[in-house]
Amino acid sequence: VVYEKGASVLYLLRQTVGDSVFAEVLRETIRRHADRPLSTEAFQAVAEEVSGLDLERWFDVWVYGRDLPTLRAEWQAAKRTLRWFVEGDGGTLDGVPVPLRIQQGGRGYDASVVDGQIVLPGEEMPEISPVGMMLDVQVRAAED
């Protein structure tokens, strides 16, 4: 879990601040901390300075948080619609295009957390997975 969480945190930070800013955060971190230990607090300070964002809540949820935010999804078979939202993220995913992979009947579909829904061709319950990050995924069938 430690390795998965670390990779997930860096991936999500990249999604949050954008590719070019994330690359600059890494360059500046290496410049300042080459050959020296780096604390999480020091990394956060560099990320905030370079991005110009207040990342306190973001780090509270994704780095220091004890529980994973939950991706809640509801499948409406009659309408063939899968809807979802994230809770427990403190708003840190608002507008962040975290990719999702949806599987149904042996076929895969791509979506994003910000999309909030997808219409699928089949009636069977789909599976939904975040790509590159960790979320507690809970899917339930809606009462039609």
Side-chain angles (χ1 to χ4, degrees), residues 1-17 22 40 43 58-59 61-65 68 132-134:
V1 171
V2 172
Y3 293 113
E4 284 183 48
K5 183 175 180 179
S8 179
V9 163
L10 290 175
Y11 177 80
L12 183 56
L13 182 60
R14 180 179 170 194
Q15 292 291 311
T16 301
V17 302
F22 181 73
T40 303
F43 179 70
W58 192 94
F59 272 80
V61 170
W62 297 103
V63 176
Y64 301 114
L68 288 175
M133 64 171 297
M134 297 168 58

Side-chain angles (χ1 to χ4, degrees), residues 8-19 53 55 58 62 71 84 86 89-100 111-116 130-131 133 135:
S8 179
V9 163
L10 290 175
Y11 177 80
L12 183 56
L13 182 60
R14 180 179 170 194
Q15 292 291 311
T16 301
V17 302
D19 290 344
L53 300 172
L55 296 170
W58 192 94
W62 297 103
L71 175 72
W84 60 83
V86 177
D89 70 317
T92 60
L93 291 181
D94 293 352
V96 178
V98 174
L100 300 173
S112 171
V113 166
V114 297
D115 295 337
V131 176
M133 64 171 297
L135 289 170

Side-chain angles (χ1 to χ4, degrees), residues 19-32:
D19 290 344
S20 62
V21 171
F22 181 73
E24 184 57 33
V25 167
L26 295 180
R27 281 191 291 274
E28 187 61 21
T29 300
I30 291 168
R31 189 185 70 71
R32 292 184 191 181

Side-chain angles (χ1 to χ4, degrees), residues 63-112:
V63 176
Y64 301 114
R66 296 182 61 142
D67 299 318
L68 288 175
T70 302
L71 175 72
R72 293 206 188 278
E74 181 178 83
W75 172 241
Q76 296 176 312
K79 295 180 181 178
R80 297 183 177 156
T81 302
L82 180 66
R83 290 191 171 97
W84 60 83
F85 64 94
V86 177
E87 66 182 19
D89 70 317
T92 60
L93 291 181
D94 293 352
V96 178
V98 174
L100 300 173
R101 185 70 177 159
I102 299 164
Q103 298 285 332
Q104 184 191 54
R107 294 190 61 195
Y109 305 90
D110 295 316
S112 171

